Amino acid sequence: MFVDELEGLVGQGRSLLQRTKDQCLRPDDARRSVEWFAELEKIGASGVALLSPQVVADGSFAKEGHGTGADWLGAVTGTSPSAARKALKAASMAEQSPVLQEALAKGELSSSELDLVAQAAAIAPKGEERLLPLVGKASPAELRDELSNMRAETRSKEVAHERRSRVHRNRHFRWRQDPSGGIRGEFFCDEAAWARFAPSVESRAVALQKEAHRLGSDESLDAFRMDALLDLMGEGGAGSAPGAIVLIDAESLRQGSMAPGGTCEIDGIGVVSVEAATELLGQGNVQFIVKDGVDIRTVTSATRTIPKRVETALIARDRVCAVPGCGARHGLQIDHRDIDFADDGPSELNNLVRLCRTHHDLKTHGGFRLEGEAPDWKWIPPAQPKSAGYIARARRLAAIKAKARDRDGP
Ligand SMILES: [Zn+2]
C-alpha cells in the first residue's frame, strides 16, 4: 500500500516534469518551480536516508545482484561507491538519533546536510543537536565552521600539536606548466604560517580589484589575488601591509586548548589550534582580539596602533558576512547599514556590518536591506527585486560616478 502510493507519486512527478518543457513560465514562476523541485529532492534524500539502513541490515540488496549495500545504493542513486558509503554511514548514524529521525521525517535535510549533521553526531554525544538548529539558516560553509569548532573542542593539546606537525610534514608548493598553457600551482601549509602573509595578499587583491572595477573590469577577486601574490613576491615579502587578526576567548587562551563553546580563529582563514594562534603573539603587526565573556579586549604589538574600539568590536561580532545563511569569511567589506558612507553615516557599531562583496552589492545597488540586530539579522528584499544584470549595471555606474567625484575633488 505504502509502496504503491509512493509509486503513484513518482508517476505524478514524472508527468509534471514532461510538461515542464512545454510550459512558458514567467521568471518568478520558473524560480518558484525550481524551489519546489529542490524541496522534492530533499524529500527524496530523506526517504533514502530513512529506509536504506533497513535494506542493508536485511541484505535484500543482494536480490538485485549487488555485493554490498553501498554498491546497491550507488547504483540506485547514481553516485560513486565512496559517496554511497558516506551516505549509508550518515543514514545509520541518523538511525541512532531520535532528533535526526524526526528531521528526516519532515524532509528537512538534503543529503549533504545530513552528512554534516551526522559528522557532528560522531564528534560528540548529542553533537547533532548542536548543528541541526543551524540547518536551513546557515550556509554549508558556516556548518563546516561549526564542525571545525566542535572538533577543536574535543582535541587535547597533544592531539592539536600532532595535527599541526602532520600539516608541517606535508607542507608543499607544487607548480607545473598546464598542457594548454599557463602555470598551475597548489600549496599546503600551516595556518599560522599563512596568516603572516594572507592579509597582505588579500588587501592588495581587494585594492587592485577596486581600481580595475572602476575602469569597467568585472574580473574576479581570485584573478587579482594572483596579481597581488606576484606583486608581493616581486617586492620581497609582505612589508608593512596589514597584519593578521586573531580572535580567541580568554578561557581557551588560559588553558592552551580550545574551551567548550570557545573561539580560536584567524580572521579570514579559519579555526586554528590555540598553539598555532599563540605562536603569532608578538609577531610584527598581528592583532589579537580576546573575548572574555561579553567583554572584548585587544592585545596589539607595539608596531601597530590600537585600532578603533568600534572596528575591533565589529570584527569580533561579524565573523562572517552578516547576511543569514551566507557564511563568507573572505574579503568582507564594512557596510554602513542605515545611512550610506557617502552621506556621512555615523561609524557606530550598530550602524556597521561586515558583508561579503556580493551581498554588499545587493544592498547598495539592489535595494536589499538588513534589519534587526546582530546576530539575528533579517535580509529584506525590496518590493520589486532587481535582476543580476541590473545590479551589475548599477555597480558600474556608481564606480564611474565615484571616479568622477575623485577627479573633480572636493
Ligand atoms: Zn554574504
Side-chain angles (χ1 to χ4, degrees):
M1 190 62 205
F2 176 80
V3 178
D4 296 335
E5 220 174 294
L6 198 56
E7 194 182 346
L9 207 65
V10 172
Q12 273 183 39
R14 284 232 168 78
S15 82
L16 261 175
L17 205 54
Q18 276 295 318
R19 281 157 52 200
T20 302
K21 61 180 188 320
D22 307 324
Q23 303 287 319
C24 187
L25 294 173
R26 289 178 303 140
D28 286 351
D29 286 340
R31 192 190 69 239
R32 269 202 293 274
S33 300
V34 169
E35 286 163 4
W36 282 119
F37 275 125
E39 207 59 29
L40 277 175
E41 196 175 341
K42 273 191 187 180
I43 291 172
S46 297
V48 167
L50 278 172
L51 291 171
S52 53
Q54 191 192 328
V55 178
V56 173
D58 62 29
S60 73
F61 56 83
K63 294 180 186 171
E64 302 277 335
H66 295 288
T68 67
D71 285 348
W72 161 76
L73 191 64
V76 169
T77 57
T79 49
S80 70
S82 71
R85 255 194 308 280
K86 229 167 87 173
L88 271 181
K89 200 175 153 200
S92 56
M93 203 62 143
E95 230 184 352
Q96 322 285 322
S97 160
V99 290
L100 268 182
Q101 290 287 296
E102 199 185 320
L104 285 175
K106 286 185 191 154
E108 286 173 346
L109 297 174
S110 71
S111 51
S112 62
E113 284 164 345
L114 173 63
D115 178 53
L116 293 173
V117 179
Q119 284 183 45
I123 292 169
K126 295 200 185 294
E128 72 275 25
E129 291 178 23
R130 183 159 154 190
L131 211 65
L132 204 51
L134 303 177
V135 171
K137 298 191 194 89
S139 63
E142 286 172 290
L143 293 176
R144 272 191 292 274
D145 278 353
E146 187 61 18
L147 278 178
S148 300
N149 272 324
M150 290 174 68
R151 286 201 190 91
E153 285 167 27
T154 58
R155 230 173 267 136
S156 68
K157 246 186 252 189
E158 292 68 32
V159 174
H161 182 79
E162 176 45 41
R163 196 164 169 263
R164 275 192 88 202
S165 307
R166 172 181 54 77
V167 170
H168 183 72
R169 281 195 302 276
N170 291 325
R171 73 193 183 284
H172 62 256
F173 174 61
R174 298 189 189 109
W175 65 269
R176 63 186 165 79
Q177 189 182 23
D178 193 277
S180 54
I183 301 295
R184 280 194 183 283
E186 182 203 66
F187 76 96
F188 181 75
C189 72
D190 180 59
E191 288 97 334
W194 180 235
R196 289 174 201 140
F197 201 58
S200 314
V201 176
E202 292 300 319
S203 73
R204 172 82 61 114
V206 167
L208 288 173
Q209 190 189 36
K210 208 169 165 184
E211 184 51 36
H213 277 186
R214 282 186 177 198
L215 301 171
S217 150
D218 60 353
E219 288 184 297
S220 73
L221 189 61
D222 289 344
F224 294 103
R225 200 175 275 132
M226 187 70 246
D227 296 344
L229 193 65
L230 293 175
D231 277 3
L232 288 166
M233 283 197 293
E235 287 167 20
S240 59
I245 298 170
V246 177
L247 191 86
I248 189 169
D249 68 285
E251 184 53 34
S252 297
L253 194 57
R254 256 192 298 275
Q255 71 181 44
S257 61
M258 182 94 132
T263 308
C264 183
E265 48 185 272
I266 304 173
D267 194 46
I269 290 186
V271 176
V272 294
S273 69
V274 177
E275 182 197 79
T278 47
E279 205 176 279
L280 293 168
L281 260 173
Q283 284 266 338
N285 47 5
V286 176
Q287 182 197 341
F288 268 68
I289 299 176
V290 182
K291 290 203 298 184
D292 199 351
V294 290
D295 286 344
I296 290 160
R297 291 178 283 133
T298 60
V299 184
T300 45
S301 48
T303 52
R304 191 181 150 133
T305 53
I306 296 169
K308 283 175 291 181
R309 291 182 67 86
V310 175
E311 194 194 338
T312 307
L314 186 66
I315 291 165
R317 192 193 68 192
D318 297 348
R319 303 298 309 127
V320 293
C321 171
V323 172
C326 173
R329 58 162 74 238
H330 297 290
L332 297 182
Q333 304 175 336
I334 295 178
D335 178 64
H336 290 246
R337 196 161 64 86
D338 300 321
I339 309 160
D340 195 53
F341 188 64
D343 305 323
D344 294 326
S347 294
E348 283 161 16
L349 188 56
N350 57 11
N351 189 37
L352 300 172
V353 280
R354 293 214 297 171
L355 296 175
C356 70
R357 189 189 161 80
T358 311
H359 283 127
H360 203 180
D361 277 350
L362 278 169
K363 187 174 166 296
T364 313
H365 307 298
F368 275 76
R369 285 172 301 134
L370 200 62
E371 291 191 351
E373 269 181 32
D376 297 310
W377 296 116
K378 294 201 172 43
W379 184 235
I380 316 275
Q384 299 199 311
K386 307 281 187 260
S387 71
Y390 175 94
I391 292 163
R393 280 192 299 277
R395 192 188 62 211
R396 278 198 295 275
L397 198 67
I400 292 165
K401 277 186 190 161
K403 197 183 173 199
R405 210 168 35 232
D406 282 2
R407 195 185 49 224
D408 298 344

